[in-house]
Amino acid sequence: MPFKDLCQQKTTSGRKHFAVLLDPDNLTEASCLNLLTLTESHPVDFFFVGGSLVTTDHQAGLIRLLKEHSTVPVILFPSNSLHIDKQADGILLLSLISGRNADFLIGQHVIAAPMLKASQLQVYPTGYMLVDTGRQTTASYMSGTAPVPFDKPAIAACTAMAGELLGLQYIYLDGGSGAMKPVSAEMIAAVREAVEVPVIVGGGINTTEKAKAALDAGADVLVVGNHIEKNPGFLAEVSNLVASYNVALDVHR
Ligand code: 1GP
């Protein structure tokens, strides 16, 4: 399903999606090809490409490789306006609504806007919310913003509501790459309840149980990066898990 159709589907449909986050700094060509082989038998819905701090110039090569060897949509997950690449299919235009740094709320977007308008990229306006999962993350430090406190689901819900009212079409709850613990089920459920738009959840999902907890709480899109880089077999586990939700859905229809 194209990513754009997600925001048109009724969230009550319950269909789940799986996005693999690929950090250009951490992947070799061989490890990327290995992941692509795995996706042939264990489908993923989207590749997100990016990271909070990209220190190499590998992104363009990575996207080229993905487009050469796979039909899975490639969606940019940029840390700033420099990370636009026209080879991708789309871009999460992230407004960091959990923070109060104008640059990441609107500033980078002003710089990116003419490039995005001139490109063929599908633009996905996304309310991006960092959640405090126990230690300061690269995203929080680099953006100079305070994350939503872990045990304050009401703050997360109100922030998501505000994002939706402002017209954002996706909400992304992120505990940060390699987070010590994922965003709580309580917070995911509160946000899911508060908005109609799809809820994307990622950060620190490194067991099937944690993936299941996020899906059960209402995540529409599950994002896994770090743990798949370390254990590629986890891609198959999450793929199977997400498929089991969708099969159950189809059976009961
Ligand atoms: C981070 O949500 C993503 O921005 C994925 O996190 O790398 O911990 O899976 P992980």
Side-chain angles (χ1 to χ4, degrees), residues 74-136:
V74 175
I75 298 175
L76 300 170
F77 176 54
S79 51
N80 62 51
S81 60
L82 296 175
H83 294 145
I84 295 171
D85 188 316
K86 293 177 191 163
Q87 300 176 97
D89 298 292
I91 180 168
L92 299 179
L93 189 61
L94 303 169
S95 184
L96 183 51
I97 58 175
S98 59
R100 300 295 180 268
N101 180 341
D103 197 31
F104 290 98
L105 280 163
I106 184 66
Q108 291 291 319
H109 317 67
V110 173
I111 297 166
M115 282 178 273
L116 293 176
K117 287 284 264 188
S119 78
Q120 302 291 317
L121 290 167
Q122 287 281 343
V123 176
Y124 306 113
T126 303
Y128 188 50
M129 296 169 56
L130 294 172
V131 179
D132 186 349
T133 49
R135 69 170 174 220
Q136 190 171 43

Side-chain angles (χ1 to χ4, degrees), residues 150-194:
F150 183 80
D151 59 351
K152 301 287 184 195
I155 295 178
C158 293
T159 307
M161 267 187 235
E164 183 180 57
L165 288 168
L166 283 164
L168 297 171
Q169 293 175 12
Y170 305 84
I171 295 293
Y172 191 153
L173 277 175
D174 197 347
S177 197
M180 291 195 298
K181 57 185 177 187
V183 177
S184 74
E186 291 72 18
M187 186 176 285
I188 297 169
V191 168
R192 176 62 288 150
E193 180 72 23

Side-chain angles (χ1 to χ4, degrees), residues 21 77 128 172 174 176-179 202-205 223-227:
L21 173 62
F77 176 54
Y128 188 50
Y172 191 153
D174 197 347
S177 197
I205 295 171
V223 186
V224 184
N226 213 268
H227 198 59

